[in-house]
mmCIF file with all atom_site columns, all heavy atoms in Angstrom:
data_model
loop_
_atom_site.group_PDB
_atom_site.id
_atom_site.type_symbol
_atom_site.label_atom_id
_atom_site.label_alt_id
_atom_site.label_comp_id
_atom_site.label_asym_id
_atom_site.label_entity_id
_atom_site.label_seq_id
_atom_site.pdbx_PDB_ins_code
_atom_site.Cartn_x
_atom_site.Cartn_y
_atom_site.Cartn_z
_atom_site.occupancy
_atom_site.B_iso_or_equiv
_atom_site.pdbx_formal_charge
_atom_site.auth_seq_id
_atom_site.auth_comp_id
_atom_site.auth_asym_id
_atom_site.auth_atom_id
_atom_site.pdbx_PDB_model_num
ATOM 1   N N   . ASN A 1 1  ? 3.950  2.207  14.092  1.00 87.00 ? 1  ASN A N   1
ATOM 2   C CA  . ASN A 1 1  ? 4.644  2.078  12.802  1.00 87.00 ? 1  ASN A CA  1
ATOM 3   C C   . ASN A 1 1  ? 4.543  3.296  11.962  1.00 87.00 ? 1  ASN A C   1
ATOM 4   O O   . ASN A 1 1  ? 3.305  3.700  11.706  1.00 87.00 ? 1  ASN A O   1
ATOM 5   C CB  . ASN A 1 1  ? 4.259  0.833  12.065  1.00 87.00 ? 1  ASN A CB  1
ATOM 6   C CG  . ASN A 1 1  ? 5.257  0.373  11.028  1.00 87.00 ? 1  ASN A CG  1
ATOM 7   O OD1 . ASN A 1 1  ? 6.244  1.110  10.777  1.00 87.00 ? 1  ASN A OD1 1
ATOM 8   N ND2 . ASN A 1 1  ? 4.975  -0.769 10.346  1.00 87.00 ? 1  ASN A ND2 1
ATOM 9   N N   . SER A 1 2  ? 5.578  3.927  11.607  1.00 87.00 ? 2  SER A N   1
ATOM 10  C CA  . SER A 1 2  ? 5.550  5.035  10.703  1.00 87.00 ? 2  SER A CA  1
ATOM 11  C C   . SER A 1 2  ? 6.879  5.104  9.929   1.00 87.00 ? 2  SER A C   1
ATOM 12  O O   . SER A 1 2  ? 7.817  4.551  10.390  1.00 87.00 ? 2  SER A O   1
ATOM 13  C CB  . SER A 1 2  ? 5.321  6.415  11.452  1.00 87.00 ? 2  SER A CB  1
ATOM 14  O OG  . SER A 1 2  ? 6.381  6.626  12.382  1.00 87.00 ? 2  SER A OG  1
ATOM 15  N N   . THR A 1 3  ? 6.925  5.760  8.852   1.00 83.00 ? 3  THR A N   1
ATOM 16  C CA  . THR A 1 3  ? 8.059  5.826  8.060   1.00 83.00 ? 3  THR A CA  1
ATOM 17  C C   . THR A 1 3  ? 9.139  6.758  8.655   1.00 83.00 ? 3  THR A C   1
ATOM 18  O O   . THR A 1 3  ? 8.887  7.839  9.112   1.00 83.00 ? 3  THR A O   1
ATOM 19  C CB  . THR A 1 3  ? 7.724  6.415  6.623   1.00 83.00 ? 3  THR A CB  1
ATOM 20  O OG1 . THR A 1 3  ? 6.795  5.502  5.965   1.00 83.00 ? 3  THR A OG1 1
ATOM 21  C CG2 . THR A 1 3  ? 9.018  6.471  5.735   1.00 83.00 ? 3  THR A CG2 1
ATOM 22  N N   . TRP A 1 4  ? 10.318 6.167  8.764   1.00 79.00 ? 4  TRP A N   1
ATOM 23  C CA  . TRP A 1 4  ? 11.410 6.877  9.372   1.00 79.00 ? 4  TRP A CA  1
ATOM 24  C C   . TRP A 1 4  ? 12.324 7.516  8.296   1.00 79.00 ? 4  TRP A C   1
ATOM 25  O O   . TRP A 1 4  ? 12.617 8.656  8.255   1.00 79.00 ? 4  TRP A O   1
ATOM 26  C CB  . TRP A 1 4  ? 12.176 5.922  10.293  1.00 79.00 ? 4  TRP A CB  1
ATOM 27  C CG  . TRP A 1 4  ? 13.389 6.454  10.999  1.00 79.00 ? 4  TRP A CG  1
ATOM 28  C CD1 . TRP A 1 4  ? 13.633 7.736  11.409  1.00 79.00 ? 4  TRP A CD1 1
ATOM 29  C CD2 . TRP A 1 4  ? 14.524 5.651  11.353  1.00 79.00 ? 4  TRP A CD2 1
ATOM 30  N NE1 . TRP A 1 4  ? 14.781 7.796  11.995  1.00 79.00 ? 4  TRP A NE1 1
ATOM 31  C CE2 . TRP A 1 4  ? 15.388 6.597  11.995  1.00 79.00 ? 4  TRP A CE2 1
ATOM 32  C CE3 . TRP A 1 4  ? 14.936 4.315  11.284  1.00 79.00 ? 4  TRP A CE3 1
ATOM 33  C CZ2 . TRP A 1 4  ? 16.641 6.179  12.498  1.00 79.00 ? 4  TRP A CZ2 1
ATOM 34  C CZ3 . TRP A 1 4  ? 16.190 3.953  11.742  1.00 79.00 ? 4  TRP A CZ3 1
ATOM 35  C CH2 . TRP A 1 4  ? 17.033 4.853  12.414  1.00 79.00 ? 4  TRP A CH2 1
ATOM 36  N N   . VAL A 1 5  ? 12.771 6.678  7.440   1.00 76.00 ? 5  VAL A N   1
ATOM 37  C CA  . VAL A 1 5  ? 13.604 7.102  6.239   1.00 76.00 ? 5  VAL A CA  1
ATOM 38  C C   . VAL A 1 5  ? 12.923 6.422  5.049   1.00 76.00 ? 5  VAL A C   1
ATOM 39  O O   . VAL A 1 5  ? 12.672 5.263  4.902   1.00 76.00 ? 5  VAL A O   1
ATOM 40  C CB  . VAL A 1 5  ? 15.087 6.582  6.394   1.00 76.00 ? 5  VAL A CB  1
ATOM 41  C CG1 . VAL A 1 5  ? 15.833 7.023  5.129   1.00 76.00 ? 5  VAL A CG1 1
ATOM 42  C CG2 . VAL A 1 5  ? 15.657 7.184  7.667   1.00 76.00 ? 5  VAL A CG2 1
ATOM 43  N N   . ASP A 1 6  ? 12.821 7.343  3.960   1.00 74.00 ? 6  ASP A N   1
ATOM 44  C CA  . ASP A 1 6  ? 12.206 6.916  2.661   1.00 74.00 ? 6  ASP A CA  1
ATOM 45  C C   . ASP A 1 6  ? 12.978 7.594  1.526   1.00 74.00 ? 6  ASP A C   1
ATOM 46  O O   . ASP A 1 6  ? 12.674 8.714  1.210   1.00 74.00 ? 6  ASP A O   1
ATOM 47  C CB  . ASP A 1 6  ? 10.728 7.181  2.656   1.00 74.00 ? 6  ASP A CB  1
ATOM 48  C CG  . ASP A 1 6  ? 10.087 6.590  1.438   1.00 74.00 ? 6  ASP A CG  1
ATOM 49  O OD1 . ASP A 1 6  ? 10.766 5.967  0.577   1.00 74.00 ? 6  ASP A OD1 1
ATOM 50  O OD2 . ASP A 1 6  ? 8.791  6.679  1.296   1.00 74.00 ? 6  ASP A OD2 1
ATOM 51  N N   . ALA A 1 7  ? 13.953 6.877  1.000   1.00 72.00 ? 7  ALA A N   1
ATOM 52  C CA  . ALA A 1 7  ? 14.751 7.396  -0.159  1.00 72.00 ? 7  ALA A CA  1
ATOM 53  C C   . ALA A 1 7  ? 14.438 6.681  -1.353  1.00 72.00 ? 7  ALA A C   1
ATOM 54  O O   . ALA A 1 7  ? 14.255 5.423  -1.404  1.00 72.00 ? 7  ALA A O   1
ATOM 55  C CB  . ALA A 1 7  ? 16.213 7.309  0.226   1.00 72.00 ? 7  ALA A CB  1
ATOM 56  N N   . SER A 1 8  ? 14.242 7.343  -2.445  1.00 66.00 ? 8  SER A N   1
ATOM 57  C CA  . SER A 1 8  ? 13.862 6.726  -3.732  1.00 66.00 ? 8  SER A CA  1
ATOM 58  C C   . SER A 1 8  ? 14.895 7.037  -4.855  1.00 66.00 ? 8  SER A C   1
ATOM 59  O O   . SER A 1 8  ? 15.640 7.991  -4.844  1.00 66.00 ? 8  SER A O   1
ATOM 60  C CB  . SER A 1 8  ? 12.461 7.250  -4.141  1.00 66.00 ? 8  SER A CB  1
ATOM 61  O OG  . SER A 1 8  ? 11.502 6.973  -3.233  1.00 66.00 ? 8  SER A OG  1
ATOM 62  N N   . LEU A 1 9  ? 14.944 6.069  -5.769  1.00 62.00 ? 9  LEU A N   1
ATOM 63  C CA  . LEU A 1 9  ? 15.789 6.236  -6.945  1.00 62.00 ? 9  LEU A CA  1
ATOM 64  C C   . LEU A 1 9  ? 15.201 5.586  -8.161  1.00 62.00 ? 9  LEU A C   1
ATOM 65  O O   . LEU A 1 9  ? 14.693 4.520  -7.998  1.00 62.00 ? 9  LEU A O   1
ATOM 66  C CB  . LEU A 1 9  ? 17.121 5.459  -6.637  1.00 62.00 ? 9  LEU A CB  1
ATOM 67  C CG  . LEU A 1 9  ? 18.220 5.434  -7.832  1.00 62.00 ? 9  LEU A CG  1
ATOM 68  C CD1 . LEU A 1 9  ? 18.693 6.743  -8.168  1.00 62.00 ? 9  LEU A CD1 1
ATOM 69  C CD2 . LEU A 1 9  ? 19.369 4.521  -7.422  1.00 62.00 ? 9  LEU A CD2 1
ATOM 70  N N   . SER A 1 10 ? 15.123 6.261  -9.260  1.00 59.00 ? 10 SER A N   1
ATOM 71  C CA  . SER A 1 10 ? 14.521 5.741  -10.523 1.00 59.00 ? 10 SER A CA  1
ATOM 72  C C   . SER A 1 10 ? 15.612 5.400  -11.503 1.00 59.00 ? 10 SER A C   1
ATOM 73  O O   . SER A 1 10 ? 16.473 6.140  -11.655 1.00 59.00 ? 10 SER A O   1
ATOM 74  C CB  . SER A 1 10 ? 13.474 6.810  -11.108 1.00 59.00 ? 10 SER A CB  1
ATOM 75  O OG  . SER A 1 10 ? 12.507 7.037  -10.141 1.00 59.00 ? 10 SER A OG  1
ATOM 76  N N   . LYS A 1 11 ? 15.246 4.359  -12.279 1.00 60.00 ? 11 LYS A N   1
ATOM 77  C CA  . LYS A 1 11 ? 16.061 3.953  -13.347 1.00 60.00 ? 11 LYS A CA  1
ATOM 78  C C   . LYS A 1 11 ? 15.364 3.610  -14.548 1.00 60.00 ? 11 LYS A C   1
ATOM 79  O O   . LYS A 1 11 ? 14.452 2.810  -14.516 1.00 60.00 ? 11 LYS A O   1
ATOM 80  C CB  . LYS A 1 11 ? 16.951 2.706  -12.881 1.00 60.00 ? 11 LYS A CB  1
ATOM 81  C CG  . LYS A 1 11 ? 17.872 2.104  -13.956 1.00 60.00 ? 11 LYS A CG  1
ATOM 82  C CD  . LYS A 1 11 ? 18.641 0.889  -13.448 1.00 60.00 ? 11 LYS A CD  1
ATOM 83  C CE  . LYS A 1 11 ? 19.499 0.335  -14.513 1.00 60.00 ? 11 LYS A CE  1
ATOM 84  N NZ  . LYS A 1 11 ? 20.102 -0.954 -14.043 1.00 60.00 ? 11 LYS A NZ  1
ATOM 85  N N   . GLU A 1 12 ? 15.646 4.235  -15.703 1.00 54.00 ? 12 GLU A N   1
ATOM 86  C CA  . GLU A 1 12 ? 14.894 4.090  -16.946 1.00 54.00 ? 12 GLU A CA  1
ATOM 87  C C   . GLU A 1 12 ? 15.603 3.158  -17.876 1.00 54.00 ? 12 GLU A C   1
ATOM 88  O O   . GLU A 1 12 ? 16.833 3.217  -18.023 1.00 54.00 ? 12 GLU A O   1
ATOM 89  C CB  . GLU A 1 12 ? 14.672 5.357  -17.640 1.00 54.00 ? 12 GLU A CB  1
ATOM 90  C CG  . GLU A 1 12 ? 13.829 6.417  -16.810 1.00 54.00 ? 12 GLU A CG  1
ATOM 91  C CD  . GLU A 1 12 ? 13.424 7.574  -17.594 1.00 54.00 ? 12 GLU A CD  1
ATOM 92  O OE1 . GLU A 1 12 ? 13.632 7.618  -18.850 1.00 54.00 ? 12 GLU A OE1 1
ATOM 93  O OE2 . GLU A 1 12 ? 13.019 8.619  -17.018 1.00 54.00 ? 12 GLU A OE2 1
ATOM 94  N N   . ALA A 1 13 ? 14.801 2.201  -18.456 1.00 50.00 ? 13 ALA A N   1
ATOM 95  C CA  . ALA A 1 13 ? 15.362 1.280  -19.494 1.00 50.00 ? 13 ALA A CA  1
ATOM 96  C C   . ALA A 1 13 ? 14.353 1.376  -20.602 1.00 50.00 ? 13 ALA A C   1
ATOM 97  O O   . ALA A 1 13 ? 13.350 2.036  -20.595 1.00 50.00 ? 13 ALA A O   1
ATOM 98  C CB  . ALA A 1 13 ? 15.552 -0.116 -18.849 1.00 50.00 ? 13 ALA A CB  1
ATOM 99  N N   . VAL A 1 14 ? 14.687 0.617  -21.693 1.00 45.00 ? 14 VAL A N   1
ATOM 100 C CA  . VAL A 1 14 ? 13.863 0.640  -22.871 1.00 45.00 ? 14 VAL A CA  1
ATOM 101 C C   . VAL A 1 14 ? 12.518 0.124  -22.569 1.00 45.00 ? 14 VAL A C   1
ATOM 102 O O   . VAL A 1 14 ? 12.319 -1.095 -22.202 1.00 45.00 ? 14 VAL A O   1
ATOM 103 C CB  . VAL A 1 14 ? 14.514 -0.164 -24.013 1.00 45.00 ? 14 VAL A CB  1
ATOM 104 C CG1 . VAL A 1 14 ? 13.578 -0.134 -25.265 1.00 45.00 ? 14 VAL A CG1 1
ATOM 105 C CG2 . VAL A 1 14 ? 15.859 0.429  -24.372 1.00 45.00 ? 14 VAL A CG2 1
ATOM 106 N N   . GLY A 1 15 ? 11.478 0.927  -22.621 1.00 47.00 ? 15 GLY A N   1
ATOM 107 C CA  . GLY A 1 15 ? 10.100 0.435  -22.400 1.00 47.00 ? 15 GLY A CA  1
ATOM 108 C C   . GLY A 1 15 ? 9.754  0.168  -20.921 1.00 47.00 ? 15 GLY A C   1
ATOM 109 O O   . GLY A 1 15 ? 8.690  -0.410 -20.601 1.00 47.00 ? 15 GLY A O   1
ATOM 110 N N   . GLU A 1 16 ? 10.604 0.572  -20.052 1.00 55.00 ? 16 GLU A N   1
ATOM 111 C CA  . GLU A 1 16 ? 10.391 0.200  -18.637 1.00 55.00 ? 16 GLU A CA  1
ATOM 112 C C   . GLU A 1 16 ? 11.043 1.191  -17.679 1.00 55.00 ? 16 GLU A C   1
ATOM 113 O O   . GLU A 1 16 ? 12.167 1.677  -17.992 1.00 55.00 ? 16 GLU A O   1
ATOM 114 C CB  . GLU A 1 16 ? 10.946 -1.185 -18.297 1.00 55.00 ? 16 GLU A CB  1
ATOM 115 C CG  . GLU A 1 16 ? 10.750 -1.676 -16.936 1.00 55.00 ? 16 GLU A CG  1
ATOM 116 C CD  . GLU A 1 16 ? 11.234 -3.066 -16.710 1.00 55.00 ? 16 GLU A CD  1
ATOM 117 O OE1 . GLU A 1 16 ? 11.559 -3.798 -17.706 1.00 55.00 ? 16 GLU A OE1 1
ATOM 118 O OE2 . GLU A 1 16 ? 11.407 -3.441 -15.502 1.00 55.00 ? 16 GLU A OE2 1
ATOM 119 N N   . VAL A 1 17 ? 10.346 1.528  -16.661 1.00 49.00 ? 17 VAL A N   1
ATOM 120 C CA  . VAL A 1 17 ? 10.895 2.393  -15.580 1.00 49.00 ? 17 VAL A CA  1
ATOM 121 C C   . VAL A 1 17 ? 10.931 1.633  -14.300 1.00 49.00 ? 17 VAL A C   1
ATOM 122 O O   . VAL A 1 17 ? 9.802  1.123  -13.869 1.00 49.00 ? 17 VAL A O   1
ATOM 123 C CB  . VAL A 1 17 ? 10.137 3.762  -15.424 1.00 49.00 ? 17 VAL A CB  1
ATOM 124 C CG1 . VAL A 1 17 ? 10.589 4.560  -14.237 1.00 49.00 ? 17 VAL A CG1 1
ATOM 125 C CG2 . VAL A 1 17 ? 10.088 4.578  -16.677 1.00 49.00 ? 17 VAL A CG2 1
ATOM 126 N N   . THR A 1 18 ? 12.066 1.575  -13.648 1.00 60.00 ? 18 THR A N   1
ATOM 127 C CA  . THR A 1 18 ? 12.173 0.837  -12.373 1.00 60.00 ? 18 THR A CA  1
ATOM 128 C C   . THR A 1 18 ? 12.448 1.909  -11.246 1.00 60.00 ? 18 THR A C   1
ATOM 129 O O   . THR A 1 18 ? 13.384 2.673  -11.435 1.00 60.00 ? 18 THR A O   1
ATOM 130 C CB  . THR A 1 18 ? 13.233 -0.224 -12.427 1.00 60.00 ? 18 THR A CB  1
ATOM 131 O OG1 . THR A 1 18 ? 12.984 -1.099 -13.488 1.00 60.00 ? 18 THR A OG1 1
ATOM 132 C CG2 . THR A 1 18 ? 13.272 -0.958 -11.075 1.00 60.00 ? 18 THR A CG2 1
ATOM 133 N N   . SER A 1 19 ? 11.649 1.842  -10.199 1.00 63.00 ? 19 SER A N   1
ATOM 134 C CA  . SER A 1 19 ? 11.826 2.763  -9.114  1.00 63.00 ? 19 SER A CA  1
ATOM 135 C C   . SER A 1 19 ? 12.303 1.952  -7.866  1.00 63.00 ? 19 SER A C   1
ATOM 136 O O   . SER A 1 19 ? 11.603 0.988  -7.553  1.00 63.00 ? 19 SER A O   1
ATOM 137 C CB  . SER A 1 19 ? 10.522 3.439  -8.770  1.00 63.00 ? 19 SER A CB  1
ATOM 138 O OG  . SER A 1 19 ? 10.659 4.230  -7.621  1.00 63.00 ? 19 SER A OG  1
ATOM 139 N N   . TYR A 1 20 ? 13.352 2.323  -7.307  1.00 67.00 ? 20 TYR A N   1
ATOM 140 C CA  . TYR A 1 20 ? 13.854 1.734  -6.104  1.00 67.00 ? 20 TYR A CA  1
ATOM 141 C C   . TYR A 1 20 ? 13.647 2.561  -4.901  1.00 67.00 ? 20 TYR A C   1
ATOM 142 O O   . TYR A 1 20 ? 13.841 3.845  -4.987  1.00 67.00 ? 20 TYR A O   1
ATOM 143 C CB  . TYR A 1 20 ? 15.446 1.438  -6.219  1.00 67.00 ? 20 TYR A CB  1
ATOM 144 C CG  . TYR A 1 20 ? 15.851 0.509  -7.293  1.00 67.00 ? 20 TYR A CG  1
ATOM 145 C CD1 . TYR A 1 20 ? 16.164 0.935  -8.528  1.00 67.00 ? 20 TYR A CD1 1
ATOM 146 C CD2 . TYR A 1 20 ? 15.900 -0.899 -7.016  1.00 67.00 ? 20 TYR A CD2 1
ATOM 147 C CE1 . TYR A 1 20 ? 16.479 0.032  -9.629  1.00 67.00 ? 20 TYR A CE1 1
ATOM 148 C CE2 . TYR A 1 20 ? 16.210 -1.771 -8.064  1.00 67.00 ? 20 TYR A CE2 1
ATOM 149 C CZ  . TYR A 1 20 ? 16.543 -1.294 -9.321  1.00 67.00 ? 20 TYR A CZ  1
ATOM 150 O OH  . TYR A 1 20 ? 16.896 -2.165 -10.356 1.00 67.00 ? 20 TYR A OH  1
ATOM 151 N N   . ALA A 1 21 ? 13.167 2.003  -3.861  1.00 71.00 ? 21 ALA A N   1
ATOM 152 C CA  . ALA A 1 21 ? 12.957 2.730  -2.643  1.00 71.00 ? 21 ALA A CA  1
ATOM 153 C C   . ALA A 1 21 ? 13.660 2.029  -1.492  1.00 71.00 ? 21 ALA A C   1
ATOM 154 O O   . ALA A 1 21 ? 13.634 0.821  -1.353  1.00 71.00 ? 21 ALA A O   1
ATOM 155 C CB  . ALA A 1 21 ? 11.445 2.734  -2.267  1.00 71.00 ? 21 ALA A CB  1
ATOM 156 N N   . PHE A 1 22 ? 14.209 2.792  -0.582  1.00 78.00 ? 22 PHE A N   1
ATOM 157 C CA  . PHE A 1 22 ? 14.903 2.344  0.599   1.00 78.00 ? 22 PHE A CA  1
ATOM 158 C C   . PHE A 1 22 ? 14.153 2.854  1.795   1.00 78.00 ? 22 PHE A C   1
ATOM 159 O O   . PHE A 1 22 ? 14.214 4.024  2.103   1.00 78.00 ? 22 PHE A O   1
ATOM 160 C CB  . PHE A 1 22 ? 16.361 2.802  0.636   1.00 78.00 ? 22 PHE A CB  1
ATOM 161 C CG  . PHE A 1 22 ? 17.152 2.319  -0.630  1.00 78.00 ? 22 PHE A CG  1
ATOM 162 C CD1 . PHE A 1 22 ? 17.185 3.115  -1.729  1.00 78.00 ? 22 PHE A CD1 1
ATOM 163 C CD2 . PHE A 1 22 ? 17.781 1.126  -0.595  1.00 78.00 ? 22 PHE A CD2 1
ATOM 164 C CE1 . PHE A 1 22 ? 17.927 2.677  -2.813  1.00 78.00 ? 22 PHE A CE1 1
ATOM 165 C CE2 . PHE A 1 22 ? 18.473 0.671  -1.683  1.00 78.00 ? 22 PHE A CE2 1
ATOM 166 C CZ  . PHE A 1 22 ? 18.525 1.488  -2.842  1.00 78.00 ? 22 PHE A CZ  1
ATOM 167 N N   . LYS A 1 23 ? 13.420 1.971  2.491   1.00 77.00 ? 23 LYS A N   1
ATOM 168 C CA  . LYS A 1 23 ? 12.572 2.414  3.519   1.00 77.00 ? 23 LYS A CA  1
ATOM 169 C C   . LYS A 1 23 ? 12.991 1.859  4.894   1.00 77.00 ? 23 LYS A C   1
ATOM 170 O O   . LYS A 1 23 ? 13.233 0.629  4.981   1.00 77.00 ? 23 LYS A O   1
ATOM 171 C CB  . LYS A 1 23 ? 11.053 1.929  3.286   1.00 77.00 ? 23 LYS A CB  1
ATOM 172 C CG  . LYS A 1 23 ? 10.449 2.527  2.048   1.00 77.00 ? 23 LYS A CG  1
ATOM 173 C CD  . LYS A 1 23 ? 9.058  2.023  1.805   1.00 77.00 ? 23 LYS A CD  1
ATOM 174 C CE  . LYS A 1 23 ? 8.488  2.605  0.580   1.00 77.00 ? 23 LYS A CE  1
ATOM 175 N NZ  . LYS A 1 23 ? 7.064  2.104  0.369   1.00 77.00 ? 23 LYS A NZ  1
ATOM 176 N N   . PHE A 1 24 ? 13.101 2.644  5.907   1.00 81.00 ? 24 PHE A N   1
ATOM 177 C CA  . PHE A 1 24 ? 13.333 2.222  7.247   1.00 81.00 ? 24 PHE A CA  1
ATOM 178 C C   . PHE A 1 24 ? 12.276 2.807  8.092   1.00 81.00 ? 24 PHE A C   1
ATOM 179 O O   . PHE A 1 24 ? 11.838 3.960  8.054   1.00 81.00 ? 24 PHE A O   1
ATOM 180 C CB  . PHE A 1 24 ? 14.726 2.705  7.677   1.00 81.00 ? 24 PHE A CB  1
ATOM 181 C CG  . PHE A 1 24 ? 15.786 2.173  6.829   1.00 81.00 ? 24 PHE A CG  1
ATOM 182 C CD1 . PHE A 1 24 ? 16.605 3.056  6.127   1.00 81.00 ? 24 PHE A CD1 1
ATOM 183 C CD2 . PHE A 1 24 ? 16.048 0.846  6.655   1.00 81.00 ? 24 PHE A CD2 1
ATOM 184 C CE1 . PHE A 1 24 ? 17.583 2.589  5.281   1.00 81.00 ? 24 PHE A CE1 1
ATOM 185 C CE2 . PHE A 1 24 ? 17.044 0.341  5.764   1.00 81.00 ? 24 PHE A CE2 1
ATOM 186 C CZ  . PHE A 1 24 ? 17.750 1.246  5.084   1.00 81.00 ? 24 PHE A CZ  1
#
């Protein structure tokens, strides 16, 4: 098992940061 695809996306809101990752 090893990471094949790892794409990230960050979204900022009031008082909060959400990070989305797409991992295959």
Side-chain angles (χ1 to χ4, degrees):
N1 197 353
S2 60
T3 301
W4 178 29
V5 177
D6 188 355
S8 298
L9 174 67
S10 296
K11 178 182 178 182
E12 296 186 16
V14 178
E16 181 179 344
V17 177
T18 302
S19 173
Y20 295 93
F22 302 89
K23 297 180 180 179
F24 304 116

